Amino acid sequence: MAQLLCEVVTAERKVFEDDVTMVVAPGIEGQLGILPHHAPLMTALTYGELQIQREGQEDIFIAIGGGFMEVRPDRVTILAD
């Protein structure tokens, strides 16, 4: 199955970095589901729960207080508060 690199970074440190199968993020206009080969995107995030799905493992949930997300076909970078 296709994967993409996901990085979650705060002002203090890198919180998460791994290959994932899907990322669900709280966008300012609703939930955003990001899969591998997604079209490039830059968007603001609101407070909520970031869900990260990895193949064959339990989902990871990270609470965020807003931030920004950059999506490229092979990578998702989240700058979170």
Side-chain angles (χ1 to χ4, degrees), residues 10-62:
T10 67
E12 292 82 29
R13 64 186 175 96
K14 186 180 292 188
V15 175
F16 178 85
E17 180 178 23
D18 200 1
D19 289 325
V20 302
T21 55
M22 183 175 183
V23 176
V24 180
I28 57 173
E29 294 187 17
Q31 295 289 326
L32 296 163
I34 308 298
L35 294 168
H37 310 293
H38 194 285
L41 169 73
M42 178 71 109
T43 188
L45 300 175
T46 187
Y47 65 90
E49 197 171 66
L50 183 65
Q51 180 181 358
I52 300 169
Q53 298 177 1
R54 296 184 292 174
E55 190 172 350
Q57 299 182 26
E58 285 195 32
D59 293 356
I60 295 172
F61 296 91
I62 301 172

Side-chain angles (χ1 to χ4, degrees), residues 8-12 15 45 50 62-68 77-81:
V8 179
V9 181
T10 67
E12 292 82 29
V15 175
L45 300 175
L50 183 65
I62 301 172
I64 62 170
F68 295 93
T77 304
I78 298 166
L79 306 173
D81 292 336

